[in-house]
Amino acid sequence: MAWTIAASLNEVPEGKTLGVEVDGVHIALYNLDGKIYATHGICTHALALLSEGWIEDGKIECPLHQGQFDIRSGKALCSPVTEDLRTFAVRVDGNDILVDVD
Ligand code: FES
């Protein structure tokens, strides 16, 4: 495991998402009920940043064509997305959010 600091905890308030780049990989961080999750930051359908989308009921809705993914699992939930999102392990250490992008 190669943990890399991706952001500070206070940059991702509850119910919000933040786009970051870790080791050249676009990542979207999410805060669901106080727990942090990380997925690949770019939609699997086309070039859209999921951090610019909307969170609802544990899902992220893509801002471009409204495809949805389960934030916890990365599973593609509805058309037009068919390919699941990659997810990443997350660890919180004090105020640091660390992500393993290996
Ligand atoms: Fe995300 Fe099309 S780019 S649904």
Side-chain angles (χ1 to χ4, degrees):
M1 290 235 165
W3 295 105
T4 305
I5 294 175
S8 298
L9 201 49
N10 56 13
E11 292 179 284
V12 195
E14 204 161 310
K16 300 289 186 196
T17 176
L18 175 74
V20 293
E21 205 175 307
V22 178
D23 294 341
V25 181
H26 287 282
I27 305 273
L29 299 170
Y30 313 86
N31 184 333
L32 296 183
D33 298 323
K35 189 162 188 310
I36 304 295
Y37 296 88
T39 70
H40 199 277
I42 296 174
C43 185
T44 57
H45 178 240
L47 194 58
L49 290 175
L50 293 172
S51 56
E52 294 176 358
W54 297 272
I55 295 178
E56 198 180 328
D57 293 335
K59 297 174 278 192
I60 181 72
E61 182 176 289
C62 177
L64 201 52
H65 309 113
Q66 288 72 52
Q68 294 182 347
F69 300 92
D70 184 300
I71 288 169
R72 294 175 179 86
S73 67
K75 191 161 181 41
L77 296 174
C78 70
S79 175
V81 296
T82 55
E83 192 184 328
D84 294 347
L85 266 183
R86 189 173 167 203
T87 59
F88 301 94
V90 173
R91 188 161 68 87
V92 174
D93 185 4
N95 195 41
D96 293 332
I97 299 171
L98 297 98
V99 176
D100 180 9
V101 294
D102 279 350

